[in-house]
Amino acid sequence: MMKDAAGQILYVGKAKNLRNRVQAYFRKESKTRFQIDFLMRKTADIEYLITDNEKEALLLENTLIKKNKPRYNVFLKDDKSYASLKINSQHAFPGVFVTRHIVKDGSLYFGPYASASALRQTVDLVTKHFRLRTCSDHEFANRSRPCLEYHIGRCTAPCVGKVSQDNYAKQLEEARLFLGGQKKELIQRLKTKMKEASGNLQYEEAARLRDLIGQVEETLEKQKVVHHQGKDYDAIGFALSPTQIVFYVLMVREGVLLDRQRFVFPKPFQTHAEFLSHFVLQYYGRLLEIPFEILMPQKIEEAETLAEILRERSGHAVDLLVPKKGERAKIVKLAIQNATNFCKTKIDSFETLLKNLQTILNLSQSPRIIECVDISNLQGSDAVGSLVCFEEGKPSKNRYRKFKIRLTEGPNDYAMMYEVLLRRFRRSEEWPPPDLLLVDGGKGQLQIALKALADLGLHNQAVVAIAKAKKGEKSDKIYIPNRMNPVSFRSNAPELLYLMRIRDEAHRFGITYHRQLRAKKLTLS
Ligand code: SF4
Protein backbone atom coordinates (compact mmCIF):
# COMPACT_ATOMS: atom_id res chain seq x y z
CA MET A 1 0.00 0.00 0.00
CA MET A 2 1.68 3.18 -1.17
CA LYS A 3 0.64 6.15 0.95
CA ASP A 4 1.07 9.89 0.70
CA ALA A 5 2.31 12.15 3.48
CA ALA A 6 -1.16 12.37 4.99
CA GLY A 7 -1.40 8.58 5.20
CA GLN A 8 -3.92 8.27 2.36
CA ILE A 9 -3.54 5.07 0.32
CA LEU A 10 -2.56 5.97 -3.24
CA TYR A 11 -1.97 2.53 -4.66
CA VAL A 12 -2.46 -1.09 -3.65
CA GLY A 13 -0.47 -3.76 -5.45
CA LYS A 14 0.85 -7.25 -4.97
CA ALA A 15 3.97 -9.09 -6.04
CA LYS A 16 5.75 -12.34 -5.36
CA ASN A 17 8.95 -10.43 -4.87
CA LEU A 18 7.97 -7.10 -3.43
CA ARG A 19 11.51 -5.83 -3.24
CA ASN A 20 12.05 -6.28 -6.97
CA ARG A 21 8.68 -4.80 -7.77
CA VAL A 22 9.21 -1.66 -5.71
CA GLN A 23 12.78 -1.26 -6.97
CA ALA A 24 11.45 -1.40 -10.50
CA TYR A 25 9.30 1.63 -9.78
CA PHE A 26 12.35 3.63 -8.83
CA ARG A 27 14.50 2.59 -11.79
CA LYS A 28 15.35 5.16 -14.44
CA GLU A 29 13.33 3.50 -17.20
CA SER A 30 10.23 3.75 -15.02
CA LYS A 31 10.59 7.51 -15.13
CA THR A 32 9.42 7.44 -18.71
CA ARG A 33 6.08 6.22 -17.41
CA PHE A 34 4.41 9.40 -16.30
CA GLN A 35 1.94 7.69 -13.98
CA ILE A 36 4.67 5.86 -12.02
CA ASP A 37 6.81 8.95 -11.79
CA PHE A 38 3.89 10.90 -10.42
CA LEU A 39 2.99 8.17 -7.96
CA MET A 40 6.58 7.91 -6.75
CA ARG A 41 6.77 11.62 -6.14
CA LYS A 42 3.65 11.51 -4.01
CA THR A 43 4.49 8.32 -2.11
CA ALA A 44 5.75 9.01 1.39
CA ASP A 45 5.35 5.54 2.86
CA ILE A 46 4.96 1.95 1.72
CA GLU A 47 3.14 -0.51 3.91
CA TYR A 48 2.90 -4.19 3.10
CA LEU A 49 1.30 -7.40 4.28
CA ILE A 50 2.63 -10.91 3.81
CA THR A 51 0.08 -13.49 2.67
CA ASP A 52 0.36 -17.25 2.51
CA ASN A 53 -0.27 -17.72 -1.19
CA GLU A 54 -1.18 -15.93 -4.37
CA LYS A 55 -4.89 -16.48 -4.07
CA GLU A 56 -4.95 -14.78 -0.69
CA ALA A 57 -2.86 -11.94 -2.04
CA LEU A 58 -5.27 -11.53 -4.92
CA LEU A 59 -8.36 -11.53 -2.77
CA LEU A 60 -6.80 -9.26 -0.20
CA GLU A 61 -5.69 -6.82 -2.87
CA ASN A 62 -9.25 -6.75 -4.16
CA THR A 63 -10.67 -6.14 -0.71
CA LEU A 64 -8.21 -3.37 0.05
CA ILE A 65 -8.87 -1.64 -3.23
CA LYS A 66 -12.60 -1.85 -2.74
CA LYS A 67 -12.31 -0.52 0.75
CA ASN A 68 -9.83 2.29 0.16
CA LYS A 69 -10.48 3.19 -3.49
CA PRO A 70 -6.88 4.28 -4.10
CA ARG A 71 -6.44 6.90 -6.79
CA TYR A 72 -3.89 4.93 -8.82
CA ASN A 73 -5.65 1.57 -8.99
CA VAL A 74 -7.49 2.47 -12.15
CA PHE A 75 -8.19 -1.01 -13.47
CA LEU A 76 -9.33 -2.70 -10.33
CA LYS A 77 -11.53 -0.02 -8.91
CA ASP A 78 -14.73 -1.62 -10.15
CA ASP A 79 -16.95 -3.03 -7.52
CA LYS A 80 -16.84 -6.64 -8.67
CA SER A 81 -16.00 -9.21 -6.07
CA TYR A 82 -14.82 -12.62 -7.05
CA ALA A 83 -17.61 -14.93 -8.00
CA SER A 84 -18.60 -17.90 -5.88
CA LEU A 85 -20.97 -20.76 -6.42
CA LYS A 86 -24.11 -20.76 -4.35
CA ILE A 87 -26.53 -23.56 -3.59
CA ASN A 88 -29.63 -22.05 -1.97
CA SER A 89 -30.19 -24.96 0.39
CA GLN A 90 -33.26 -23.40 2.01
CA HIS A 91 -35.36 -24.14 -1.05
CA ALA A 92 -37.03 -27.57 -1.18
CA PHE A 93 -35.19 -28.16 -4.49
CA PRO A 94 -32.08 -26.03 -4.34
CA GLY A 95 -30.45 -24.82 -7.53
CA VAL A 96 -26.87 -23.87 -8.42
CA PHE A 97 -26.12 -20.21 -9.01
CA VAL A 98 -23.18 -17.91 -9.56
CA THR A 99 -23.00 -15.03 -7.10
CA ARG A 100 -20.72 -12.19 -6.15
CA HIS A 101 -22.39 -11.53 -2.84
CA ILE A 102 -21.89 -13.83 0.09
CA VAL A 103 -24.62 -13.40 2.66
CA LYS A 104 -25.23 -15.43 5.76
CA ASP A 105 -28.58 -16.78 4.62
CA GLY A 106 -27.88 -20.45 5.32
CA SER A 107 -26.95 -21.15 1.68
CA LEU A 108 -23.89 -23.16 0.75
CA TYR A 109 -21.09 -21.22 -0.92
CA PHE A 110 -18.08 -22.58 -2.79
CA GLY A 111 -15.14 -20.68 -4.20
CA PRO A 112 -14.37 -17.85 -4.68
CA TYR A 113 -13.15 -18.42 -8.19
CA ALA A 114 -10.64 -15.91 -9.40
CA SER A 115 -11.25 -16.74 -13.04
CA ALA A 116 -14.60 -16.79 -14.78
CA SER A 117 -13.60 -19.80 -16.85
CA ALA A 118 -12.80 -21.86 -13.73
CA LEU A 119 -16.22 -21.03 -12.40
CA ARG A 120 -17.99 -21.88 -15.66
CA GLN A 121 -16.21 -25.22 -15.74
CA THR A 122 -17.31 -26.01 -12.20
CA VAL A 123 -20.94 -25.10 -12.86
CA ASP A 124 -20.82 -27.23 -15.97
CA LEU A 125 -19.45 -30.20 -14.04
CA VAL A 126 -21.98 -29.89 -11.26
CA THR A 127 -24.97 -29.72 -13.56
CA LYS A 128 -23.64 -32.47 -15.80
CA HIS A 129 -22.71 -34.90 -13.04
CA PHE A 130 -25.22 -34.19 -10.33
CA ARG A 131 -28.10 -32.84 -12.39
CA LEU A 132 -29.11 -30.00 -10.09
CA ARG A 133 -31.38 -27.33 -11.49
CA THR A 134 -29.99 -24.03 -12.73
CA CYS A 135 -33.26 -22.19 -13.33
CA SER A 136 -34.38 -19.28 -11.16
CA ASP A 137 -36.87 -19.82 -8.34
CA HIS A 138 -39.44 -17.87 -10.33
CA GLU A 139 -38.98 -20.05 -13.39
CA PHE A 140 -39.03 -23.16 -11.24
CA ALA A 141 -42.36 -22.17 -9.71
CA ASN A 142 -43.98 -21.47 -13.08
CA ARG A 143 -42.97 -24.47 -15.22
CA SER A 144 -45.57 -26.85 -16.53
CA ARG A 145 -43.09 -28.89 -18.56
CA PRO A 146 -39.38 -29.58 -18.02
CA CYS A 147 -36.93 -27.43 -19.98
CA LEU A 148 -34.15 -28.52 -22.33
CA GLU A 149 -31.83 -29.24 -19.36
CA TYR A 150 -33.97 -32.24 -18.52
CA HIS A 151 -34.01 -33.50 -22.08
CA ILE A 152 -30.23 -33.43 -22.38
CA GLY A 153 -29.83 -35.23 -19.03
CA ARG A 154 -28.53 -32.29 -16.98
CA CYS A 155 -31.46 -31.88 -14.63
CA THR A 156 -33.87 -34.34 -13.01
CA ALA A 157 -36.74 -31.84 -13.45
CA PRO A 158 -37.98 -31.30 -9.92
CA CYS A 159 -40.08 -28.45 -11.34
CA VAL A 160 -42.67 -30.93 -12.58
CA GLY A 161 -42.17 -33.60 -9.92
CA LYS A 162 -40.06 -36.01 -11.93
CA VAL A 163 -37.81 -36.51 -8.89
CA SER A 164 -38.80 -36.84 -5.24
CA GLN A 165 -37.50 -34.40 -2.65
CA ASP A 166 -35.51 -37.23 -1.00
CA ASN A 167 -33.79 -38.26 -4.19
CA TYR A 168 -33.04 -34.65 -5.09
CA ALA A 169 -31.53 -34.19 -1.60
CA LYS A 170 -29.20 -37.11 -2.37
CA GLN A 171 -28.12 -35.45 -5.62
CA LEU A 172 -27.49 -32.28 -3.65
CA GLU A 173 -25.43 -34.07 -1.03
CA GLU A 174 -23.24 -35.61 -3.71
CA ALA A 175 -22.73 -32.20 -5.34
CA ARG A 176 -21.78 -30.78 -1.96
CA LEU A 177 -19.20 -33.52 -1.43
CA PHE A 178 -17.84 -32.91 -4.91
CA LEU A 179 -17.58 -29.14 -4.46
CA GLY A 180 -16.11 -29.58 -1.01
CA GLY A 181 -13.41 -31.83 -2.44
CA GLN A 182 -14.48 -34.75 -0.24
CA LYS A 183 -13.44 -37.26 -2.81
CA LYS A 184 -13.30 -40.41 -0.67
CA GLU A 185 -16.80 -40.13 0.69
CA LEU A 186 -18.29 -39.20 -2.66
CA ILE A 187 -16.63 -42.08 -4.55
CA GLN A 188 -17.77 -44.47 -1.83
CA ARG A 189 -21.36 -43.31 -2.18
CA LEU A 190 -21.31 -43.49 -5.95
CA LYS A 191 -19.83 -47.00 -5.88
CA THR A 192 -22.56 -48.21 -3.51
CA LYS A 193 -25.19 -46.69 -5.78
CA MET A 194 -23.58 -48.29 -8.82
CA LYS A 195 -23.69 -51.73 -7.20
CA GLU A 196 -27.32 -51.24 -6.21
CA ALA A 197 -28.24 -50.18 -9.73
CA SER A 198 -26.46 -53.14 -11.24
CA GLY A 199 -28.08 -55.50 -8.65
CA ASN A 200 -31.48 -54.10 -9.68
CA LEU A 201 -30.58 -54.75 -13.32
CA GLN A 202 -30.55 -51.00 -14.06
CA TYR A 203 -27.54 -51.35 -16.31
CA GLU A 204 -27.89 -47.95 -17.97
CA GLU A 205 -27.85 -46.18 -14.58
CA ALA A 206 -24.93 -48.36 -13.41
CA ALA A 207 -22.95 -47.40 -16.52
CA ARG A 208 -23.73 -43.70 -15.94
CA LEU A 209 -22.49 -43.97 -12.37
CA ARG A 210 -19.33 -45.79 -13.49
CA ASP A 211 -18.53 -42.96 -15.91
CA LEU A 212 -19.35 -40.41 -13.26
CA ILE A 213 -16.90 -42.01 -10.79
CA GLY A 214 -14.16 -41.80 -13.43
CA GLN A 215 -14.95 -38.15 -14.20
CA VAL A 216 -15.14 -37.17 -10.53
CA GLU A 217 -11.78 -38.78 -9.82
CA GLU A 218 -10.23 -37.01 -12.74
CA THR A 219 -11.75 -33.62 -11.91
CA LEU A 220 -10.96 -33.62 -8.23
CA GLU A 221 -7.35 -34.37 -8.99
CA LYS A 222 -7.15 -31.03 -10.76
CA GLN A 223 -9.57 -28.91 -8.77
CA LYS A 224 -8.63 -26.98 -5.66
CA VAL A 225 -11.58 -25.56 -3.81
CA VAL A 226 -11.53 -23.19 -0.88
CA HIS A 227 -14.26 -24.05 1.59
CA HIS A 228 -16.80 -21.45 2.39
CA GLN A 229 -18.25 -23.63 5.03
CA GLY A 230 -15.48 -23.22 7.59
CA LYS A 231 -16.27 -21.03 10.59
CA ASP A 232 -15.20 -17.42 10.46
CA TYR A 233 -12.19 -16.79 12.61
CA ASP A 234 -9.61 -14.17 13.51
CA ALA A 235 -5.99 -14.98 14.11
CA ILE A 236 -3.98 -12.76 16.43
CA GLY A 237 -0.22 -12.44 16.40
CA PHE A 238 2.03 -9.99 18.17
CA ALA A 239 5.67 -9.00 18.33
CA LEU A 240 7.72 -6.71 20.52
CA SER A 241 10.27 -4.08 19.69
CA PRO A 242 12.38 -2.41 22.39
CA THR A 243 9.69 0.23 22.90
CA GLN A 244 6.48 -1.01 21.36
CA ILE A 245 4.19 -3.97 20.91
CA VAL A 246 2.55 -4.66 17.57
CA PHE A 247 -0.62 -6.69 17.12
CA TYR A 248 -1.85 -8.10 13.85
CA VAL A 249 -5.36 -9.47 13.54
CA LEU A 250 -5.87 -11.49 10.36
CA MET A 251 -9.52 -11.94 9.48
CA VAL A 252 -10.53 -15.17 7.81
CA ARG A 253 -14.07 -15.19 6.53
CA GLU A 254 -15.60 -18.22 4.86
CA GLY A 255 -12.16 -19.72 4.51
CA VAL A 256 -10.58 -16.70 2.86
CA LEU A 257 -8.07 -14.29 4.36
CA LEU A 258 -10.01 -11.11 3.84
CA ASP A 259 -8.34 -8.33 5.75
CA ARG A 260 -5.97 -7.39 8.53
CA GLN A 261 -5.79 -4.84 11.30
CA ARG A 262 -2.62 -3.64 12.91
CA PHE A 263 -2.26 -1.98 16.29
CA VAL A 264 0.88 -0.46 17.73
CA PHE A 265 1.05 0.26 21.46
CA PRO A 266 3.83 1.48 23.68
CA LYS A 267 5.56 -1.49 25.30
CA PRO A 268 3.28 -2.58 28.13
CA PHE A 269 4.22 -3.13 31.74
CA GLN A 270 2.05 -6.24 31.95
CA THR A 271 3.14 -9.73 30.93
CA HIS A 272 2.45 -10.73 27.33
CA ALA A 273 -0.45 -12.95 28.36
CA GLU A 274 -2.03 -10.15 30.35
CA PHE A 275 -1.67 -7.68 27.57
CA LEU A 276 -3.03 -10.18 25.06
CA SER A 277 -6.17 -10.66 27.07
CA HIS A 278 -6.46 -6.88 27.54
CA PHE A 279 -6.16 -6.48 23.79
CA VAL A 280 -8.78 -9.14 23.01
CA LEU A 281 -11.25 -7.50 25.30
CA GLN A 282 -10.58 -3.99 24.01
CA TYR A 283 -10.62 -4.99 20.39
CA TYR A 284 -13.71 -7.18 20.40
CA GLY A 285 -15.50 -5.03 22.90
CA ARG A 286 -16.04 -2.38 20.26
CA LEU A 287 -17.06 -4.75 17.43
CA LEU A 288 -20.58 -5.72 16.58
CA GLU A 289 -19.60 -8.84 14.67
CA ILE A 290 -17.41 -11.23 16.54
CA PRO A 291 -16.15 -14.38 14.80
CA PHE A 292 -16.86 -17.85 16.15
CA GLU A 293 -13.20 -18.51 16.82
CA ILE A 294 -10.37 -16.29 17.93
CA LEU A 295 -7.01 -17.94 17.40
CA MET A 296 -4.26 -16.79 19.69
CA PRO A 297 -0.51 -17.27 19.80
CA GLN A 298 -0.48 -18.24 23.48
CA LYS A 299 -2.75 -19.18 26.34
CA ILE A 300 -4.30 -16.57 28.55
CA GLU A 301 -5.54 -17.19 32.02
CA GLU A 302 -8.90 -15.51 31.69
CA ALA A 303 -9.76 -17.30 28.44
CA GLU A 304 -13.00 -18.74 29.76
CA THR A 305 -14.21 -15.46 31.18
CA LEU A 306 -13.31 -13.63 28.02
CA ALA A 307 -15.14 -16.22 25.93
CA GLU A 308 -18.17 -15.75 28.13
CA ILE A 309 -18.10 -11.97 27.73
CA LEU A 310 -17.74 -12.28 23.99
CA ARG A 311 -20.54 -14.86 23.83
CA GLU A 312 -22.86 -12.46 25.61
CA ARG A 313 -21.89 -9.69 23.31
CA SER A 314 -22.18 -11.59 20.04
CA GLY A 315 -25.06 -13.89 20.91
CA HIS A 316 -23.13 -16.99 19.84
CA ALA A 317 -20.38 -19.17 21.29
CA VAL A 318 -16.88 -17.78 20.82
CA ASP A 319 -13.90 -20.10 21.24
CA LEU A 320 -10.53 -18.70 22.19
CA LEU A 321 -8.09 -21.25 20.86
CA VAL A 322 -4.33 -21.70 20.72
CA PRO A 323 -3.90 -23.97 17.67
CA LYS A 324 -0.82 -26.16 17.65
CA LYS A 325 -1.01 -27.62 14.14
CA GLY A 326 -2.90 -27.49 10.86
CA GLU A 327 -4.28 -24.55 8.89
CA ARG A 328 -5.23 -22.56 11.98
CA ALA A 329 -1.74 -22.80 13.47
CA LYS A 330 -0.35 -21.64 10.14
CA ILE A 331 -2.51 -18.54 10.06
CA VAL A 332 -1.52 -17.58 13.63
CA LYS A 333 2.11 -17.98 12.54
CA LEU A 334 1.39 -15.68 9.65
CA ALA A 335 -0.04 -13.04 12.00
CA ILE A 336 3.09 -13.29 14.18
CA GLN A 337 5.28 -13.10 11.09
CA ASN A 338 3.56 -9.91 9.97
CA ALA A 339 3.89 -8.34 13.43
CA THR A 340 7.58 -9.33 13.70
CA ASN A 341 8.28 -8.01 10.27
CA PHE A 342 6.63 -4.69 11.09
CA CYS A 343 8.71 -4.41 14.28
CA LYS A 344 11.92 -5.12 12.44
CA THR A 345 11.39 -2.78 9.55
CA LYS A 346 9.25 0.11 10.72
CA ILE A 347 9.66 0.36 14.45
CA ASP A 348 13.36 -0.44 14.70
CA SER A 349 14.23 2.04 11.98
CA PHE A 350 11.94 4.67 13.54
CA GLU A 351 13.61 4.18 16.93
CA THR A 352 17.00 4.74 15.29
CA LEU A 353 15.64 7.86 13.63
CA LEU A 354 14.41 9.23 16.97
CA LYS A 355 17.72 8.48 18.64
CA ASN A 356 19.62 10.23 15.86
CA LEU A 357 17.30 13.25 16.02
CA GLN A 358 17.79 13.50 19.76
CA THR A 359 21.58 13.46 19.37
CA ILE A 360 21.82 15.77 16.37
CA LEU A 361 19.36 18.34 17.71
CA ASN A 362 20.83 18.11 21.19
CA LEU A 363 17.52 17.30 22.87
CA SER A 364 17.10 16.18 26.45
CA GLN A 365 14.42 13.64 25.51
CA SER A 366 13.40 11.55 22.53
CA PRO A 367 11.12 13.59 20.20
CA ARG A 368 8.22 11.12 20.16
CA ILE A 369 5.64 13.89 19.96
CA ILE A 370 6.45 16.75 17.64
CA GLU A 371 4.25 19.77 17.00
CA CYS A 372 4.86 22.06 14.07
CA VAL A 373 3.57 25.59 13.63
CA ASP A 374 3.25 27.33 10.29
CA ILE A 375 1.75 30.68 9.25
CA SER A 376 -0.21 31.13 6.01
CA ASN A 377 -1.35 34.47 4.64
CA LEU A 378 -1.59 36.54 1.51
CA GLN A 379 0.07 39.90 2.11
CA GLY A 380 -1.12 39.73 5.67
CA SER A 381 -4.78 39.15 4.82
CA ASP A 382 -6.76 36.19 6.14
CA ALA A 383 -3.70 35.09 8.06
CA VAL A 384 -3.93 31.77 9.84
CA GLY A 385 -1.67 29.73 12.02
CA SER A 386 -1.70 25.98 11.70
CA LEU A 387 -0.47 23.49 14.23
CA VAL A 388 -0.03 19.80 13.41
CA CYS A 389 1.16 17.05 15.68
CA PHE A 390 3.04 13.84 14.90
CA GLU A 391 3.10 11.11 17.48
CA GLU A 392 5.38 8.11 17.06
CA GLY A 393 5.89 8.99 13.41
CA LYS A 394 2.22 9.40 12.55
CA PRO A 395 -0.07 12.40 12.24
CA SER A 396 -2.16 12.69 15.37
CA LYS A 397 -5.09 14.55 13.86
CA ASN A 398 -7.03 15.10 17.04
CA ARG A 399 -4.15 17.32 18.16
CA TYR A 400 -4.24 19.50 15.05
CA ARG A 401 -5.34 23.10 15.64
CA LYS A 402 -6.11 26.16 13.51
CA PHE A 403 -5.61 29.73 14.68
CA LYS A 404 -7.22 32.73 13.02
CA ILE A 405 -4.74 35.57 13.57
CA ARG A 406 -6.48 38.18 15.69
CA LEU A 407 -4.01 40.69 17.04
CA THR A 408 -1.46 41.10 14.26
CA GLU A 409 -2.17 43.62 11.51
CA GLY A 410 -0.43 43.56 8.12
CA PRO A 411 2.14 41.11 6.78
CA ASN A 412 4.27 40.48 9.86
CA ASP A 413 5.21 36.78 10.00
CA TYR A 414 7.19 37.08 13.22
CA ALA A 415 4.38 38.77 15.13
CA MET A 416 1.91 36.19 13.84
CA MET A 417 4.16 33.34 14.91
CA TYR A 418 4.51 34.96 18.36
CA GLU A 419 0.75 35.29 18.68
CA VAL A 420 0.07 31.67 17.73
CA LEU A 421 2.76 30.30 20.05
CA LEU A 422 1.49 32.38 22.94
CA ARG A 423 -2.06 31.15 22.37
CA ARG A 424 -0.91 27.55 22.12
CA PHE A 425 1.57 27.39 25.03
CA ARG A 426 -0.32 29.42 27.57
CA ARG A 427 -2.66 26.44 27.69
CA SER A 428 0.19 24.06 28.48
CA GLU A 429 -1.51 22.71 31.58
CA GLU A 430 -4.64 21.35 29.95
CA TRP A 431 -2.86 20.80 26.61
CA PRO A 432 0.42 18.96 27.30
CA PRO A 433 3.38 20.39 25.40
CA PRO A 434 5.18 18.25 22.80
CA ASP A 435 8.66 16.73 23.15
CA LEU A 436 9.77 19.02 20.36
CA LEU A 437 8.32 22.18 18.84
CA LEU A 438 9.16 22.72 15.19
CA VAL A 439 8.56 26.15 13.67
CA ASP A 440 8.49 26.84 9.98
CA GLY A 441 11.11 29.42 9.11
CA GLY A 442 14.71 30.35 9.76
CA LYS A 443 16.73 31.90 12.54
CA GLY A 444 14.22 34.76 12.96
CA GLN A 445 11.31 32.41 13.61
CA LEU A 446 13.42 30.39 16.03
CA GLN A 447 14.24 33.54 18.03
CA ILE A 448 10.56 34.50 18.11
CA ALA A 449 9.62 31.02 19.32
CA LEU A 450 12.24 31.18 22.06
CA LYS A 451 10.94 34.59 23.12
CA ALA A 452 7.32 33.41 23.24
CA LEU A 453 8.30 30.38 25.33
CA ALA A 454 10.47 32.49 27.61
CA ASP A 455 7.63 35.00 28.08
CA LEU A 456 5.47 32.13 29.27
CA GLY A 457 8.23 30.82 31.51
CA LEU A 458 8.65 27.63 29.48
CA HIS A 459 12.43 27.54 29.41
CA ASN A 460 12.68 23.78 28.99
CA GLN A 461 10.52 23.42 25.93
CA ALA A 462 12.68 22.03 23.09
CA VAL A 463 12.32 24.04 19.89
CA VAL A 464 13.96 24.02 16.45
CA ALA A 465 13.19 25.78 13.16
CA ILE A 466 13.08 24.36 9.65
CA ALA A 467 13.84 26.61 6.68
CA LYS A 468 13.39 25.82 3.00
CA ALA A 469 16.56 25.42 0.93
CA LYS A 470 17.46 28.55 -1.03
CA LYS A 471 18.51 28.47 -4.65
CA GLY A 472 21.82 26.57 -4.92
CA GLU A 473 21.42 24.91 -1.52
CA LYS A 474 21.09 21.16 -1.45
CA SER A 475 18.64 20.65 1.35
CA ASP A 476 16.33 22.33 3.85
CA LYS A 477 18.02 23.65 6.98
CA ILE A 478 17.40 23.02 10.66
CA TYR A 479 18.25 25.76 13.14
CA ILE A 480 18.70 24.96 16.79
CA PRO A 481 19.06 27.38 19.74
CA ASN A 482 22.51 28.74 20.65
CA ARG A 483 24.03 27.91 17.32
CA MET A 484 24.66 30.29 14.41
CA ASN A 485 24.77 27.86 11.54
CA PRO A 486 22.14 25.27 10.69
CA VAL A 487 22.66 21.65 11.64
CA SER A 488 23.96 19.68 8.69
CA PHE A 489 22.02 16.72 7.39
CA ARG A 490 22.45 14.70 4.21
CA SER A 491 19.79 15.86 1.77
CA ASN A 492 18.16 12.44 1.92
CA ALA A 493 18.74 11.79 5.63
CA PRO A 494 15.59 10.12 7.08
CA GLU A 495 15.76 12.48 10.09
CA LEU A 496 15.59 15.54 7.84
CA LEU A 497 12.91 13.96 5.63
CA TYR A 498 10.81 13.26 8.71
CA LEU A 499 10.97 16.90 9.87
CA MET A 500 10.22 18.08 6.33
CA ARG A 501 7.21 15.79 6.18
CA ILE A 502 5.84 17.31 9.39
CA ARG A 503 6.48 20.85 8.11
CA ASP A 504 4.76 20.05 4.78
CA GLU A 505 1.76 18.68 6.62
CA ALA A 506 1.52 21.88 8.71
CA HIS A 507 1.73 23.86 5.49
CA ARG A 508 -0.98 21.79 3.81
CA PHE A 509 -3.24 22.09 6.84
CA GLY A 510 -2.69 25.87 7.08
CA ILE A 511 -3.19 26.54 3.37
CA THR A 512 -6.46 24.60 3.36
CA TYR A 513 -7.78 26.71 6.22
CA HIS A 514 -6.49 29.91 4.65
CA ARG A 515 -8.26 29.08 1.37
CA GLN A 516 -11.47 28.32 3.20
CA LEU A 517 -11.39 31.72 4.87
CA ARG A 518 -10.66 33.50 1.61
CA ALA A 519 -13.41 31.65 -0.23
CA LYS A 520 -15.88 32.56 2.51
CA LYS A 521 -14.89 36.21 2.30
CA LEU A 522 -15.15 36.25 -1.49
CA THR A 523 -18.57 34.63 -1.41
CA LEU A 524 -19.71 37.21 1.10
CA SER A 525 -18.38 40.00 -1.08
S1 SF4 B 1 -35.96 -29.02 -15.86
FE1 SF4 B 1 -37.16 -27.78 -14.54
S2 SF4 B 1 -36.03 -27.71 -12.69
FE2 SF4 B 1 -34.64 -28.45 -14.24
S3 SF4 B 1 -33.66 -26.61 -14.94
FE3 SF4 B 1 -35.37 -26.97 -16.30
S4 SF4 B 1 -37.00 -25.75 -15.38
FE4 SF4 B 1 -35.45 -25.95 -13.87
Side-chain angles (χ1 to χ4, degrees), residues 47-231:
E47 186 190 337
Y48 59 96
L49 179 75
I50 302 163
T51 62
D52 211 14
N53 57 45
E54 259 191 343
K55 195 172 184 181
E56 279 167 11
L58 187 78
L59 294 167
L60 187 67
E61 183 191 35
N62 186 45
T63 314
L64 288 172
I65 290 169
K66 265 170 64 183
K67 204 166 127 190
N68 301 293
K69 301 191 170 47
R71 187 171 159 195
Y72 291 91
N73 285 87
V74 278
F75 301 110
L76 281 168
K77 252 190 210 166
D78 64 349
D79 207 25
K80 279 183 201 156
S81 320
Y82 294 102
S84 296
L85 212 147
K86 173 179 174 175
I87 295 178
N88 59 339
S89 45
Q90 276 139 331
H91 196 282
F93 294 96
V96 187
F97 306 99
V98 172
T99 182
R100 293 186 185 275
H101 303 286
I102 296 171
V103 274
K104 284 183 183 160
D105 57 356
S107 298
L108 299 170
Y109 290 94
F110 300 90
Y113 298 86
S115 93
S117 65
L119 180 63
R120 253 197 320 271
Q121 229 179 357
T122 310
V123 174
D124 200 52
L125 286 167
V126 172
T127 48
K128 190 172 156 197
H129 294 333
F130 305 101
R131 298 181 291 169
L132 297 181
R133 71 177 176 94
T134 47
C135 57
S136 69
D137 289 354
H138 177 76
E139 196 183 350
F140 179 87
N142 293 295
R143 293 297 303 194
S144 55
R145 281 184 299 160
C147 72
L148 184 66
E149 292 290 309
Y150 169 73
H151 296 292
I152 59 171
R154 295 175 70 119
C155 179
T156 45
C159 56
V160 288
K162 289 210 179 275
V163 61
S164 70
Q165 198 170 339
D166 279 356
N167 283 341
Y168 193 82
K170 283 179 192 158
Q171 284 171 236
L172 182 76
E173 178 58 12
E174 283 162 12
R176 199 185 61 75
L177 292 172
F178 172 76
L179 288 165
Q182 285 154 281
K183 183 177 160 183
K184 252 190 189 169
E185 199 183 329
L186 176 59
I187 302 283
Q188 195 55 49
R189 279 175 80 123
L190 293 176
K191 278 186 178 164
T192 314
K193 270 174 77 178
M194 185 175 74
K195 274 185 199 151
E196 276 172 17
S198 139
N200 295 336
L201 308 179
Q202 295 167 318
Y203 297 118
E204 216 176 302
E205 177 63 3
R208 191 189 72 81
L209 288 165
R210 182 202 57 212
D211 293 347
L212 177 55
I213 292 168
Q215 280 163 338
V216 165
E217 278 183 328
E218 195 190 326
T219 317
L220 286 180
E221 282 309 312
K222 290 187 275 174
Q223 212 177 26
K224 191 169 172 270
V225 183
V226 175
H227 292 258
H228 262 163
Q229 292 308 300
K231 283 182 185 173

Side-chain angles (χ1 to χ4, degrees), residues 311-348:
R311 186 186 63 73
E312 278 167 15
R313 202 181 155 77
S314 62
H316 61 71
V318 178
D319 292 327
L320 298 173
L321 306 170
V322 184
K324 290 277 176 261
K325 54 184 181 180
E327 274 304 309
R328 284 167 162 70
K330 255 197 205 165
I331 202 105
V332 172
K333 216 170 137 193
L334 206 62
I336 299 171
Q337 204 183 337
N338 274 287
T340 312
N341 189 59
F342 184 79
C343 275
K344 268 197 199 139
T345 51
K346 292 274 166 147
I347 295 180
D348 289 357

Side-chain angles (χ1 to χ4, degrees), residues 283-417:
Y283 177 67
Y284 292 101
R286 64 188 178 95
L287 296 184
L288 287 176
E289 272 199 37
I290 299 172
F292 292 96
E293 286 179 6
I294 298 169
L295 311 181
M296 295 192 299
Q298 64 179 72
K299 272 191 180 164
I300 50 174
E301 275 180 21
E302 316 91 331
E304 272 179 32
T305 324
L306 263 180
E308 179 69 24
I309 297 170
L310 298 179
R311 186 186 63 73
E312 278 167 15
R313 202 181 155 77
S314 62
H316 61 71
V318 178
D319 292 327
L320 298 173
L321 306 170
V322 184
K324 290 277 176 261
K325 54 184 181 180
E327 274 304 309
R328 284 167 162 70
K330 255 197 205 165
I331 202 105
V332 172
K333 216 170 137 193
L334 206 62
I336 299 171
Q337 204 183 337
N338 274 287
T340 312
N341 189 59
F342 184 79
C343 275
K344 268 197 199 139
T345 51
K346 292 274 166 147
I347 295 180
D348 289 357
S349 57
F350 185 65
E351 286 305 319
T352 316
L353 182 145
L354 287 183
K355 230 184 227 171
N356 290 347
L357 266 183
Q358 189 179 349
T359 315
I360 301 168
L361 303 180
N362 198 17
L363 305 172
S364 59
Q365 60 178 340
S366 175
R368 299 195 165 273
I369 302 176
I370 301 180
E371 283 182 7
C372 179
V373 174
D374 181 34
I375 304 292
S376 308
N377 67 83
L378 192 73
Q379 298 293 312
S381 73
D382 302 310
V384 296
S386 58
L387 183 148
V388 299
C389 179
F390 273 55
E391 220 173 321
E392 302 289 347
K394 283 195 178 137
S396 177
K397 298 209 168 168
N398 55 354
R399 291 185 61 157
Y400 280 25
R401 293 291 182 278
K402 303 166 197 165
F403 298 85
K404 201 168 169 182
I405 303 293
R406 293 193 213 125
L407 310 170
T408 316
E409 298 248 325
N412 186 342
D413 273 11
Y414 291 156
M416 290 178 197
M417 178 66 81

